[in-house]
Each structure stands twice: as structure tokens, then as C-alpha cells.
Amino acid sequence: MRVKRFFGRDSSAALQEVKLAFGKNAVVLETVQRDDVPPERRVEIVAAIDYDPGLKIERKSEKISTDIVSSRRAAALSVTSPEPDSAGNLQATDYERLQRELHSVKGMMGRLLVGSGLSEGWSHSGFADLLNQLLARKVSSEIAYDLLTQTQLELSDTAALKKRPETFIKELLKAALAGVIMRQVKVLKRSEMARVITLVGPTGVGKTTTLAKLAAAFAGAGERVSLISVDTYRLGAAAQTLEYGRRLKMPVEIVKDRKELLAALNGFAGFDRVLIDTMGRSIRDRKGLAELCRVLKVVVGETFLVLPAGIQEEDLLENLVHFRPFGGTSLLFTKLDETSCYGSILNGLRYAQMPLSFFTNGQKVPDDIEIASAERLADLLLDII
Ligand SMILES: Nc1nc2c(ncn2[C@@H]2O[C@H](COP(=O)(O)OP(=O)(O)OP(=O)(O)O)[C@@H](O)[C@H]2O)c(=O)[nH]1
Ligand SMILES: [Mg+2]
């Protein structure tokens, strides 16, 4: 059994760390909340993997309070703590059940927050509007709550504020929230990107199309660009990359194993930029994922995890867990044009602790791509501009 401590700003953030490190079979042993530590370490979770159900562990009793913060924490605890069986032993948790419970608790939390007059200090209706907007855009309720708490802390003189006109206060709250969101968004600067960039991600999310857009953008900036397609199936994926290479007048190598990949990388040593396309792998295809991961181990450079902006939170979490072995260095969100629920972008950033790199917003190559920015994400979530 491996036991490790995880930290986070709140229980949700610490829990994501647990899930990302230990995966679906992690068992939460203890959760502690402290106020005498930096904010990002306020919640500490002790979790175990390969947990021995025969081992008796005393469960801390939690006082369920009507206070929203306490009930949130208690709710999170009840979701993450395993239930004792009839013999009093703790059983390993079932991932799917937890996901379902987490989902229903989150929904309940959202309703609770909206219906209860909100947290202490959130007395202005502008907070409720913003909370509703964040939840409607599918920002996770814990993250939404956390963002609004920080927003409230930023507004020093709320009493004076109440004397101002309603619309002024709403705009001010929105601007303060936008500031809070923007400070949390890290972006991988184009000038700091590694020479070799690999795109990985689930099937059909737009990796090959995005690779072509990126190739065109880098070439447009005067770089010599070459392409590699890792196609261990020897099926369709390579043909698409070859066609883009032909249209963009860039050399393409199709490789099927580590040896061929290494040879292709050496062959492209003189290029300013090497972009590696991989075929999509479903997270259910564990063998295929592991195989692709092994092949890519020889690559030194950037790895962009490509995900569609409209991805559901549960799927987002599962993908982050299963693609973690690939060592992603940034998140790239596609198909912004196909959703209005941009909350996954923010959720993904928080859960994965990776910077953003690009957004794509349409099928057109090379036009439908943009450099991700904190301002753009805040606008997508809050309609600022
Ligand atoms: N609406 C929209 N469609 C996109 C975007 N990016 C890619 N697509 C479309 O998504 C579909 C799949 O794109 P691909 O680039 O083949 O996806 P992939 O991830 O390489 O797929 P696999 O290699 O099979 O895993 C195509 O129809 C693309 O035109 C986007 O930003 N918006
Ligand atoms: Mg592809």
C-alpha cells in the first residue's frame, strides 16, 4: 500500500490531485482543513493506493453543520471516504459510483448555494447571477464557489458598495471575477515552446486538423516545419497527415515504433519545428494507450493534450487521469465553436495544473486557431466584451 499526502486550496483541488496521482482506486484516509498554512495548502488529504481492505482505519467523525462551507466539506468527505462494511472494515471505493455521487453532490451544492442566499458576504444579487452563469457554462460548482469567494475577498468595502447603483455593482463584481479568473490562467508562451511538439488525446478531437493549423502558423512565422505521424495501427491516420504535408509542402514521416520515430526525429534535426501527430486513443483502450506512450517516450519536447472544449467534467477527469503518463505540458482545447459550455477549459486547467496553449474554433485549416489567453477565457465564461 502506498500512502501520500496531497494538498489543495480546497477539498476539490486536493481531491483532483489524489485522482490524478493515484487514479480510480485511490482511497481517502483522512482530510484536514487548516488556516495556518498558505492558501494553496489549506486542505490536506491523506490517500492510499493498493489499499488493504483488511486494515482497520479509524474514521474521523465529521460534525455536519448547516454552514455552507462546512457542509461542502462534509459532502466532499462523504463522497470520497469509503464506507465501512458490516465487519467495520473500510472497502476500496468504486470509481463509477464515486463519479455519480460527486456529480449529484455538485448539482446539489449549486442549488444549495443559489437557494440559500449564498455564502456569508455574498449578499448582492450580482453574486447569484455570476454563480448561475458560471454553473451554466459548466464550471464545476466547487471552482465556481472558490472563484466567487476570492472575488468577495477582493472587494474590501462592501458596505460602501451597497450605496452604488445596481448595474454599477454588477459590472464591478463581474470585472473583479474576471480578474480572479485571469490570474488563475497560465498560458504557455509561443516563444517558450519546445522545438518538438506532440499532440495526444482521445479519438476524433481534432489532433490532425490542429497539427495542420499549427504547422501553417509556424511556417507563416518563417520556420522550417516537418511532420511526423505515429501510426502504430498502420491505418487511416497517416494518410490524413500525409495529405496535409503535401498541401503545406512539408516533409512527413510515418513511423510505427520507437526506432522509426527516433530515426525520423534525427532526420528532421535541422528543422526549426517538428510536429508529431498521434492517432487518437480511447481511454478504454488501455493497451493501445500504453503502447503509444511507450513509443513516445523517446521524444523530448512539448506534449499538448488535445481535448474538445465541450467535454463533460467526468470525461475530462478520466482523460486527464489516463493521459497523465504522457507527461502533457499543456492543454489545447478544440471545437470552441461547437459549445457554449466553456467551463471545462477552466476545470481542466485547475485539475491538470497545466498551462493552456491554443484554442481551435472551426474546421478551416489554417484559419481556425488562436493563441489561448486568460482574457479570452474570462470572456468566454463571462461575456465581458
Ligand atoms: N467544429 C470544429 N470541428 C473541428 C475542429 N477541429 C477539428 N474539427 C473536426 O473534427 C473532425 C476530426 O478531426 P481530426 O483532426 O481528424 O481529429 P483527430 O483527433 O486527428 O482524430 P483521430 O486521429 O481519429 O483520433 C474533423 O471533421 C475536423 O474537421 C474545430 O475546432 N471545430
Ligand atoms: Mg488524427
Side-chain angles (χ1 to χ4, degrees), residues 203-225:
T203 55
V205 291
K207 295 177 297 300
T208 307
T209 314
T210 304
L211 184 105
K213 293 172 183 173
L214 286 173
F218 286 124
E223 295 187 7
R224 282 186 71 220
V225 184

Side-chain angles (χ1 to χ4, degrees), residues 9 44 111 172 196 280 321:
R9 187 173 286 277
E44 178 183 332
R111 288 191 294 277
L172 190 87
V196 179
V321 168

Side-chain angles (χ1 to χ4, degrees), residues 207-208 237 240 277-280:
K207 295 177 297 300
T208 307
Q240 205 185 347
D277 189 19
T278 62
M279 53 215 208

